[in-house]
Amino acid sequence: MRVYFADAKRYLERQGQEQPTLMRTMRILEIPQLQARPLPRPLLRQPVAVLAILWLTGVIVGAAVIPYLAPEGPQAMDLSRAMLPPGRGGLLGTDFMGRDIFVRLLWGGRLTLWMGIRALALAVGLGLPLGLAAGSLGGRVDAIVMRLIDAWLAFPSLLLALTVLAILGRGLSSVAIAVGLAAAAPYARIVRATAREIRAQPYIEAAIAVGASPLRIALRHILPNAAPALATFAAIQLGWVLLHGAGLNYMGLGAPPGTPEWGAMLAEGRDYLRAAPWVAAVPGLALTFTVLAANILGDRLGRE
Amino acid sequence: MLAGEPMLGYVGRRLLEAALVLWLAITLAFVAMQLTPGDPAETLLAASGASPEEIDRLRADMGLDDPVPVQYIRYLTGLFRGDLGISWLQRRPVLSMILEQLPATAELAVAGIWMGTLLGIFLGLLAAIYRGTWVDSLATTLSVLGLSTPVFWSGILMILLFSVHLRWFPSSGRGDLRHLVLPALTLGFSLSGSIARLVRTQVVEVFRMPYILAAQARGIPLWRVLLMHVLRPAAGPIVALIALQFGFLLGGAVVTESVFARQGLGRLAVQAILWRDLPLIRGIVITGAIIYLLVSLLADFLHAWLDPRLRERPAGQ
């Protein structure tokens, strides 16, 4: 178990020991309560967090440069090169129509990320003002907004997404809106809880006493202080919207067949599991890693 | 639950709250249908090449010419009588279509919860007991993986391993218990992540209590300490979390059904969307919301029952 000397020393100082000797400090280190809470290391010093950042950067860069790398697009096929394994068939192999999976993966990254970003923007755009109003104004506004959010949450998220898809019809944009709307309610809840916590602080009371308007308190005092927590939750929600958006696409409710969106690619690969497992494995792994990276970043940011 | 509130008052207040939320959800579903572009009567008869007069007659029959408030009242009274409308595609009552598929989905959901809870408690306990060792890291990694892996990807992996290679379990369809194993495992794995995390923090916290040390000092074996002294007080929050996850679980069940080609509400929903069968979609959504509300009510009461601090009145009352 790692030993946190500085923690133990600080503990002794707080206890009123003028001169924390090495001997006393070492004895304190045996108290489990003190060992349990290690000081968080900076984000860039944590190998797992660095890996997550590198992966996400890779996906974003890949999505940005693929139109220049493969100008013929994700649908370019060559039936004479169908279902070649990784290696002979390019970096990640080819699918049943001889399309290069690596090229499709990067094109798909574009679609998947763009869907995720739009959904997240919608969730934050709706959830932030609602939650902030409820949390910082309190009273009747809070009661009304919270009942609305409860009803919203009473729809299991996927059912809500299905309702939206029924109204808007299929398509990637519909999926983005459906998932974004489903993610807005939990986001509003978190914003409200964070805002309420900050509102209880003495400096908000001071601001009220000075005569600051509710709008000013919400925007200038509560929002900036809530920002780190909200950014953290947004990172975790990015993972969530990617997961659920891809799920809807997997079921064939989003992108039309043949689109290189990762969920849709996985659904296509399911039919060739025996002969060409890499067709399903590549988009499956890419999606898992991306969601994992978003979750890890959110988790680590939350500990800072 | 408010401090010192009697159990009965608590139950009544929660029931009222649930009724309000249910009404809001039902109304939202109605509004969503009103917002849907396109004329239902036209959609229904479009393929049959019906004349405008026939479409007009159908519209009158369906009550679509009435003002919206009248339609809303009729919709509400219909729901009270258990009338969810007629499916456009199959021309059958939506309720009976849903009731046909409900058992398959319920079976999967219950099995998934069991798997997820067992796996989550097991992983969380392991991580808590061997806190700070490689066992902890492994269990924590597994639970993060469970949270991040799409159900449709882990499901495909299960099929590859257990059906294609090992040939232990069938990969699709619904039938005996063997058909249920892989879907339940898939669903359970995705659920176990958050349960394992909560169990770990709860158990680590309870482990610090002096009465655990006292129990161990009295020579009570570890498994008994874990079961009676550690898990029991940690059970309340765990039950609450499982209930919170139930909405997520319904969604997961829908996708899982799609992966394993199982019949159930999920497949019915996918069909309904593909054919834009609006009454069917609305029926499924309302059913889901009712089930979800019932489960969260049940969990709240269970929570209050498991944690006596929440229900006991202060002395002298």
Side-chain angles (χ1 to χ4, degrees):
Chain A
M1 202 176 277
R2 221 174 272 123
V3 162
Y4 291 92
F5 190 73
D7 263 11
K9 219 169 144 191
R10 212 173 302 141
Y11 175 73
L12 274 183
E13 279 162 4
R14 227 180 292 135
Q15 296 288 307
Q17 308 259 6
E18 323 82 78
Q19 205 68 57
T21 63
L22 184 65
M23 200 50 207
R24 276 197 214 124
T25 312
M26 292 306 281
R27 205 172 306 139
I28 293 296
L29 287 174
E30 287 165 19
I31 300 175
Q33 279 90 333
L34 276 178
Q35 294 173 357
R37 262 188 204 286
L39 290 171
R41 278 182 291 168
L43 204 61
L44 291 177
R45 288 276 202 75
Q46 304 173 27
V48 187
V50 171
L51 270 180
I53 293 175
L54 278 181
W55 172 264
L56 283 180
T57 317
V59 174
I60 294 169
V61 169
V65 300
I66 187 62
Y68 306 102
L69 283 181
E72 69 279 6
Q75 307 294 0
M77 54 174 125
D78 178 0
L79 285 177
S80 65
R81 288 170 51 78
M83 299 228 269
L84 289 178
R88 274 194 299 144
L91 193 57
L92 295 173
T94 60
D95 67 4
F96 62 102
M97 282 162 91
R99 297 177 296 197
D100 189 293
I101 293 182
F102 184 62
V103 170
R104 281 176 72 72
L105 187 73
L106 295 192
W107 277 104
R110 255 174 114 80
L111 297 177
T112 307
L113 279 183
W114 179 226
M115 176 204 72
I117 289 168
R118 279 185 293 175
L120 192 64
L122 184 62
V124 174
L126 275 176
L128 192 66
L130 274 181
L132 197 60
S136 39
L137 295 177
R140 195 162 296 171
V141 179
D142 186 32
I144 294 172
V145 171
M146 280 322 285
R147 282 295 149 275
L148 197 71
I149 290 175
D150 276 345
W152 203 331
L153 284 171
F155 276 56
S157 51
L158 196 106
L159 291 183
L160 185 66
L162 290 182
T163 314
V164 175
L165 281 177
I167 298 174
L168 296 178
R170 291 158 63 187
L172 267 180
S173 307
S174 308
V175 168
I177 295 175
V179 178
L181 279 179
Y187 196 74
R189 265 217 129 125
I190 294 277
V191 176
R192 172 188 177 261
T194 316
R196 270 176 73 102
E197 215 169 275
I198 293 172
R199 208 175 78 121
Q201 300 289 324
Y203 62 81
I204 300 296
E205 218 172 302
I208 296 174
V210 169
S213 70
L215 188 71
R216 190 183 159 82
I217 288 173
L219 294 181
R220 294 273 304 164
H221 298 279
I222 294 183
L223 190 59
N225 288 301
L230 301 186
T232 301
F233 194 65
I236 294 172
Q237 285 228 305
L238 178 66
W240 190 89
V241 296
L242 287 177
L243 208 61
H244 285 71
L248 291 173
N249 282 314
Y250 174 87
M251 291 192 290
L253 296 177
T259 312
E261 196 281 332
W262 290 349
M265 278 174 80
L266 191 51
E268 273 184 5
R270 190 196 185 281
D271 299 333
Y272 304 94
L273 272 189
R274 240 171 260 259
W278 57 88
V279 181
V282 170
L285 284 176
L287 188 61
T288 307
F289 286 157
T290 308
V291 176
L292 197 59
N295 278 346
I296 286 173
L297 273 188
D299 187 48
R300 298 299 155 100
L301 280 173
R303 281 192 217 163
E304 299 255 310
Chain B
M1 191 168 186
L2 303 177
E5 191 181 9
M7 186 77 186
L8 210 64
Y10 172 66
V11 170
R13 193 164 54 83
R14 280 293 289 126
L15 280 177
L16 257 174
E17 261 177 35
L20 183 67
V21 170
L22 181 64
W23 170 71
L24 274 173
I26 287 172
T27 306
L28 269 180
F30 178 77
V31 172
M33 292 277 281
Q34 294 291 322
L35 288 176
T36 308
D39 179 2
E42 244 170 78
T43 317
L44 260 175
L45 292 179
S48 61
S51 65
E53 291 78 42
E54 283 177 291
I55 293 180
D56 281 344
R57 201 177 318 129
L58 180 69
R59 194 180 293 135
D61 279 351
M62 289 168 78
L64 293 172
D65 291 333
D66 297 333
V68 174
V70 174
Q71 290 191 40
Y72 178 63
I73 297 295
R74 189 162 49 225
Y75 161 74
L76 279 188
T77 48
L79 278 181
F80 257 111
R81 279 181 279 116
D83 177 12
L84 287 173
I86 307 288
S87 157
W88 290 353
L89 190 68
Q90 295 197 17
R91 304 291 169 89
R92 288 173 52 209
V94 166
L95 186 66
S96 64
M97 289 171 73
I98 289 176
L99 287 181
E100 270 169 27
Q101 301 295 332
L102 198 58
T105 303
E107 173 188 289
L108 176 60
V110 170
I113 286 187
W114 264 112
M115 286 276 192
T117 309
L118 285 182
L119 203 63
I121 289 182
F122 178 70
L123 285 178
L125 270 184
L126 266 188
I129 295 171
Y130 298 100
R131 184 159 44 106
T133 67
W134 64 270
V135 182
D136 183 13
S137 312
L138 186 73
T140 309
T141 309
L142 265 178
S143 65
V144 176
L145 263 181
L147 278 175
S148 310
T149 312
V151 177
F152 46 95
W153 171 233
S154 53
I156 283 180
L157 285 181
M158 302 255 179
I159 293 178
L160 259 183
L161 181 61
F162 292 112
S163 316
V164 176
H165 283 290
L166 297 172
R167 295 172 188 282
W168 285 356
F169 301 107
S171 69
S172 59
R174 175 175 181 237
D176 56 4
L177 214 58
R178 290 181 52 239
H179 285 87
L180 193 59
V181 174
L182 289 187
L185 208 60
T186 304
L187 200 54
F189 181 58
S190 77
L191 205 65
S192 68
S194 47
I195 297 178
R197 280 182 137 185
L198 183 70
V199 169
R200 185 184 180 282
T201 44
Q202 286 284 321
V203 169
V204 165
E205 210 168 280
V206 175
F207 251 142
R208 294 220 186 100
M209 299 285 176
Y211 70 84
I212 299 297
L213 193 66
Q216 279 177 318
R218 271 181 283 138
I220 298 171
L222 182 67
W223 65 267
R224 210 185 141 80
V225 173
L226 282 177
L227 212 65
M228 304 300 289
H229 300 254
V230 177
L231 272 184
R232 174 92 202 260
I238 295 171
V239 169
L241 176 78
I242 294 172
L244 261 181
Q245 292 274 307
F246 194 78
F248 171 76
L249 179 98
L250 275 181
V254 167
V255 184
T256 306
E257 278 170 11
S258 172
V259 175
F260 290 92
R262 273 174 69 88
Q263 51 159 286
L265 279 185
R267 284 181 96 194
L268 198 64
V270 172
Q271 275 171 6
I273 301 249
L274 291 180
W275 293 97
R276 304 204 73 181
D277 189 341
L278 292 180
L280 184 52
I281 296 171
R282 187 173 63 185
I284 293 173
V285 167
I286 291 175
T287 312
I290 291 175
I291 295 176
Y292 180 58
L293 269 176
L294 284 181
V295 168
S296 42
L297 270 180
L298 199 71
D300 273 353
F301 299 150
L302 205 60
H303 190 173
W305 177 72
L306 277 171
D307 194 339
R309 282 171 303 182
L310 285 179
R311 78 183 122 94
E312 231 152 73
R313 289 190 225 179
Q317 252 194 344

